[in-house]
Amino acid sequence: MNLYSNKNFIILYSITILSTFGSTIYTFILPLLIYDISQSALAMSTIRIVDFLPNLGMLAGAIVDRVNRNIMIKYGGLLKMILSILLTFVIYFNAVELWHLYLLGFLISTVSYTVGNASHAIVPQLFDKALMTDIQAKFSFVNTFVSIIGPSLAGALLLVIAYDHLMIVYTISLVFIWIFSLFIDQTSTPERQKNQSILEDMKEGLHELFGNKLLLTPTISILFVNLATSLIIGVLVFYVVDILGETKEQLGLMYSIGALGGLVGARLIKPLRKRWTRGAIYIGLHAIDAFVLVLFFFASTWWQLGILLALRSCTTVITNIIYLAVRQESTPNHLLGRVAGTSSMFMKLALPIGLFIGGIWAETLHIPYIFLFSAIIVFSISLLLRKNNLQTLV
């Protein structure tokens, strides 16, 4: 099947491009607005926490499994557009206060998370499950590509218009996303037990995740890999600038090189699948990732770290593609919203923990040893995956 000739794929692909670009613009300007109002680093950090909070709830997944996914995407997109227009209005007329940004930022993030969950859940309803890996690879490629060029485009727009007016650009992207969502083919409403409370719905999703051994093992693996990654994220900028003495420009180039690895990963999944099962690829890439983390210990320049970041981006994108496809394939569709919400919540819980540990580590211990510690975590996960015979996954 040629996905590019499929109407639903073209719509979802276009929505993915616009959504990624819009999010890049939004995350670019929101901290600047907060700084303009407060001149406070704490206030800028707080908005990151506010943006992260919707990921910690299973409620969104339960709602997605109760409501028709078309309705959720359509009206969720409309609500997000209205919230953005409201935020644009208070900014444009210089009436914005800090609590506006926190409140509207939280609501926008919550709606974004819920609509994203519904978009993930609707894919198996629109396409054959055999296409899930290919579809996720294409979505991942465009996500990575737009994420790379997005900040550059935002910077170029900043030369032409004031940064607070970039909210108008973000709002326009949401208008087009909402219009495109109106043309997605209608799907059936998920079946569910009548008179079941939303708490019972969430418990059912939790039970499905822990009962699905094919999905639970890689979910746990990603949780610990996220922990290892967040340990590094928390110290890498400080290490490059303060310890290695590199410039901010070199830091930017390092991250640009690292992002390119994601594009390569999205393209590699198809040829890799011709030679190995997805399980073998998944396990092998964790072992490679552990080796790359060991090399971080020996890297002493920004370009060496950039190449290593690119290798990690490559392995991370491929394993994420496999995980998302397996989750869509192995989960009953009427439970997919809850399972996706629950698994995402668990996997992201490690991020703030790792960031905190990394910060404490940087204050008291030699930073390069945190790379070895992260490598041990990832290598242990690869051994766990091999022991659970995940390589048999086709």
Side-chain angles (χ1 to χ4, degrees), residues 343-356:
S343 58
S344 295
M345 181 188 73
F346 284 134
M347 291 186 294
K348 291 174 181 176
L349 279 174
L351 293 174
I353 297 172
L355 289 170
F356 177 76

Side-chain angles (χ1 to χ4, degrees), residues 44-64:
M44 295 173 72
S45 299
T46 302
I47 196 62
R48 294 302 184 198
I49 298 173
V50 168
D51 191 53
F52 178 75
L53 284 176
N55 294 285
L56 297 181
M58 297 183 288
L59 181 61
I63 294 173
V64 166

Side-chain angles (χ1 to χ4, degrees), residues 180-285:
F180 287 157
S181 71
L182 301 178
F183 296 95
I184 299 173
D185 283 351
Q186 189 64 35
T187 59
S188 59
T189 302
E191 297 179 2
R192 55 180 296 273
Q193 294 289 334
K194 293 183 178 180
N195 302 320
Q196 183 167 284
S197 70
I198 199 161
L199 181 60
E200 290 172 323
D201 281 352
M202 290 189 284
K203 288 180 179 178
E204 191 177 12
L206 195 65
H207 183 267
E208 173 62 28
L209 173 61
F210 280 89
N212 186 345
K213 300 303 179 184
L214 184 64
L215 188 63
L216 181 61
T217 301
T219 299
I220 294 172
S221 76
I222 292 177
L223 186 154
F224 282 98
V225 170
N226 282 347
L227 174 62
T229 299
S230 60
L231 288 171
I232 295 172
I233 291 173
V235 302
L236 192 56
V237 172
F238 177 81
Y239 179 64
V240 172
V241 176
D242 192 81
I243 306 300
L244 298 183
E246 309 286 21
T247 66
K248 292 179 180 179
E249 290 76 17
Q250 289 169 329
L251 179 70
L253 286 171
M254 181 191 78
Y255 278 115
S256 296
I257 293 171
L260 292 174
L263 298 178
V264 176
R267 290 300 190 191
L268 274 180
I269 183 66
K270 194 169 185 178
L272 287 175
R273 285 193 67 203
K274 291 180 179 178
R275 298 194 60 180
W276 296 286
T277 65
R278 288 183 299 182
I281 296 168
Y282 194 86
I283 295 172
L285 288 178

Side-chain angles (χ1 to χ4, degrees), residues 19 28 50 119 121 141 150 159 173 209 229 233 249 256 263 268 278 283 295-296 314 317 328 390:
S19 179
F28 181 82
V50 168
S119 299
F141 180 86
L159 297 175
S173 74
L209 173 61
T229 299
I233 291 173
E249 290 76 17
S256 296
L263 298 178
L268 274 180
R278 288 183 299 182
I283 295 172
L295 295 180
F296 267 78
C314 181
V317 163
Q328 288 174 325
L390 196 70

Side-chain angles (χ1 to χ4, degrees), residues 88-101:
T88 302
F89 180 85
V90 295
I91 292 171
Y92 189 81
F93 288 98
N94 295 317
V96 64
E97 297 181 16
L98 199 57
W99 70 269
H100 292 145
L101 299 178

